Amino acid sequence: MPRTISAPRGARDILPEESAAWARVTEVARDLSSRYAFEHIETPLFERVDLFARSAGETSDVVEKEMFRVSGAKGSEEERAEWALRPEPTAGIVRAFIEHGLHVRPGPLRFWLIGPMFRYDRPQAGRYRQFTQWDCEVIGDPGPMVDAELIELASRFYADCGVRGVVVHLNSIGDAVCRPRFRQALIDYFAGHEARLTDDSRRRLHVNPLRVLDDKQLEPDIAAKAPKPIDHLCDACRAHFDAVRGLLDGLGCAYEIDHRLVRGLDYYTRTTFEFYVAGREGQQQALGGGGRYDGLVEALGGRPTPGIGFGIGLDRTVLAMAEQSVPLPASPPLVAVVGAGEDLGARLRVAGQLRDIGLRVRPDGSGRKLGKQLESAVKAGAAWAVILGDELSRGEVVLRDLLHGEQRALPLVDVAETIRPAH
Ligand code: HAM
């Protein structure tokens, strides 16, 4: 026998039993995107490697270690360029904003998308090589109101999905004015503890010291005494952060200040935030995260334009729903259409008529005995069977309640009314 082929490591099939939860999270995300007046955007699943290197940063994990490179075809320079499957959508959306000259539209512009992202990381529960994000971006709004609005939007998303105990972590990492001082304070501090840093952190110490603060293996006593970004904010960044906090307080949206929340992508300025299920903060299992990126449009060649957004991991949201046994709406009752003999055409026709009146219908296409067809219907989860026989010539069928074993003849047009009140 030929060997079977499995799905790639870190990529998953979503089987029907998981579909109800996926339908729920995507419906909630779409509905909120619309009610918060975001517009839908789609960008390619692959982009030039350069785009990610210049946005997320050369020393970010997504670029340094996790890039899913796609080798181009032979041919023109365009085709030979280096491409990568997108690790995150913000860079692509900002590229599209610049490329299509969207700055001329009345702003601020608000975009959303749902789609797959790719990171070549070591797979584990909740960390996949292909995963799905709901992403929202606001381009052209210097805030601080929009910062609070986005944090409230994400919090509402988890609540509407039924996930309980989601905590918001909040921080500000300053801007081009105050970041250099903070960077230097980090370098000075961590240089004094260099021997106890991980290899990655030692390597990044002088190029990207913020990532050292973010290192999950940083020893707790070193982390506890590390310089805090909010102690180094310039007046403008401090006023922005205080305003965001005041607005969140006014909304009754609880948050915790997390001094180590610098985020793993280099484009962030000022506000950063992440969402966790309470008690699971240490496990690198953020349900979502985002922040402000006031320098990104300019870094990618556009005119200076502020931006802010978040990405929510839908896979992790679905996992949290399963862990918390969040109840999901049951599917409408399933109706089987069965019959004796050579009446396949009639079964299809009747199935169509029942679907016309809104029922969920599965006709049996086999020539097996009626009893066998009814057995299969029960196994498939059908609550009702419509049995076709001679009565059909008078517009009647036999409706069998498969859960209670009762049946009676009735006009086909009355089937829906009989089924619906019962469920
Ligand atoms: P991120 O924090 O890299 O941010 O990813 C956002 C969310 O995607 C994470 O909190 C997590 O839920 C999910 N996620 C990330 N990697 C994986 C993985 N390997 N497997 C499963 N889920 C994962 C961004 O991507 C930014 N673009 C967010 C943003 C938008 N910032 C501004 N605008």
Side-chain angles (χ1 to χ4, degrees):
M1 273 222 288
R3 265 197 317 143
T4 57
I5 297 174
S6 329
R9 236 161 73 74
R12 293 163 316 133
D13 303 307
I14 293 171
L15 300 181
E17 46 275 27
E18 248 193 297
S19 296
W22 277 95
R24 170 81 165 267
V25 295
T26 48
E27 267 160 35
V28 171
R30 279 168 204 278
D31 174 51
L32 289 177
S33 298
S34 155
R35 285 198 279 146
Y36 280 69
F38 281 71
E39 294 182 291
H40 188 225
I41 190 167
E42 288 285 343
T43 64
L45 299 195
F46 63 96
E47 300 264 7
R48 283 177 183 270
V49 167
D50 262 3
L51 176 68
F52 303 120
R54 279 167 57 186
S55 53
E58 295 277 5
T59 54
S60 63
D61 281 345
V62 296
V63 170
E64 201 178 63
K65 300 181 188 162
E66 300 168 6
M67 204 68 112
F68 247 108
R69 285 174 191 265
V70 182
S71 56
K74 300 172 200 69
S76 66
E77 198 221 331
E78 161 87 359
E79 286 164 342
R80 278 184 280 116
E82 282 196 82
W83 308 97
L85 298 182
R86 65 180 182 194
E88 61 99 41
T90 311
I93 292 174
V94 169
R95 179 202 45 70
F97 172 83
I98 298 167
E99 186 168 339
H100 300 286
L102 300 185
H103 63 277
V104 300
R105 297 192 182 176
L109 298 179
R110 296 155 83 97
F111 300 113
W112 72 275
L113 66 74
I114 293 176
M117 310 297 152
F118 304 85
R119 296 185 191 179
Y120 197 78
D121 201 352
R122 196 167 44 78
Q124 60 181 50
R127 192 163 72 196
Y128 309 111
R129 288 180 173 168
Q130 178 180 334
F131 59 97
T132 301
Q133 275 188 10
W134 171 42
D135 181 83
C136 287
E137 308 290 350
V138 180
I139 303 181
D141 193 334
M145 195 194 80
V146 69
D147 304 33
E149 189 187 10
L150 281 174
I151 292 169
E152 189 270 339
L153 165 57
S155 304
R156 189 190 288 241
F157 165 80
Y158 299 116
D160 285 4
C161 287
V163 181
R164 296 176 302 275
V166 174
V167 287
V168 181
H169 286 210
L170 181 70
N171 198 12
S172 172
I173 56 170
D175 64 5
V177 176
C178 49
R179 180 88 56 81
R181 263 183 293 145
F182 176 55
R183 265 186 103 250
Q184 194 53 51
L186 284 176
I187 294 174
D188 295 344
Y189 173 76
F190 286 124
H193 300 279
E194 205 166 338
R196 288 170 64 199
L197 300 181
T198 60
D199 290 347
D200 265 353
S201 282
R202 257 197 304 278
R203 198 166 38 77
R204 285 171 172 161
L205 177 55
H206 293 277
V207 255
N208 198 344
L210 269 75
R211 301 304 320 288
V212 180
L213 199 56
D214 192 34
D215 187 338
K216 298 290 181 283
Q217 291 170 45
L218 185 62
E219 295 185 27
D221 61 313
I222 302 183
K225 294 198 192 111
K228 298 180 175 57
I230 60 170
D231 293 337
H232 292 80
L233 297 181
C234 58
D235 290 347
C237 285
R238 168 153 301 285
H240 185 97
F241 192 52
D242 289 346
V244 174
R245 293 182 60 175
L247 288 162
L248 287 172
D249 292 340
L251 285 173
C253 193
Y255 57 85
E256 292 169 17
I257 301 290
D258 180 347
H259 299 294
R260 288 179 65 193
L261 177 56
V262 295
R263 307 272 301 136
L265 309 163
D266 286 357
Y267 50 63
Y268 290 108
T269 52
R270 293 193 169 175
T271 315
T272 54
F273 51 88
E274 267 176 357
F275 305 89
Y276 289 90
V277 173
R280 304 197 57 174
E281 283 97 330
Q283 299 170 34
Q284 275 185 289
Q285 293 287 16
L287 289 178
R292 201 161 256 294
Y293 47 85
D294 292 343
L296 180 58
V297 178
E298 196 178 2
L300 293 178
R303 54 188 74 193
T305 313
I308 181 167
F310 64 66
I312 284 182
L314 295 186
D315 307 69
R316 290 184 190 175
T317 307
V318 166
L319 275 177
M321 287 165 68
E323 276 171 18
Q324 296 186 2
S325 307
V326 172
L328 292 164
S331 314
L334 177 64
V335 183
V337 175
V338 300
E342 305 290 312
D343 60 349
L344 295 184
R347 289 186 216 172
L348 264 188
R349 222 170 26 253
V350 168
Q353 286 164 332
L354 295 172
R355 288 167 182 149
D356 285 346
I357 52 179
L359 295 176
R360 194 161 75 97
V361 185
R362 192 168 144 146
D364 188 314
S366 76
R368 293 173 303 164
K369 295 223 168 65
L370 207 53
K372 289 282 174 210
Q373 292 183 40
L374 288 171
E375 253 174 50
S376 301
V378 171
K379 282 188 191 149
W384 300 88
V386 167
I387 305 171
L388 306 188
D390 297 339
E391 318 80 8
L392 193 57
S393 55
R394 304 192 302 272
E396 287 199 354
V397 293
V398 171
L399 179 65
R400 185 176 175 84
D401 178 336
L402 293 171
L403 305 180
H404 304 100
E406 294 150 11
Q407 65 181 53
R408 68 190 170 97
L410 80 183
L412 182 61
V413 288
D414 293 344
V415 166
E417 258 175 55
T418 314
I419 288 177
R420 283 219 187 91
H423 287 267

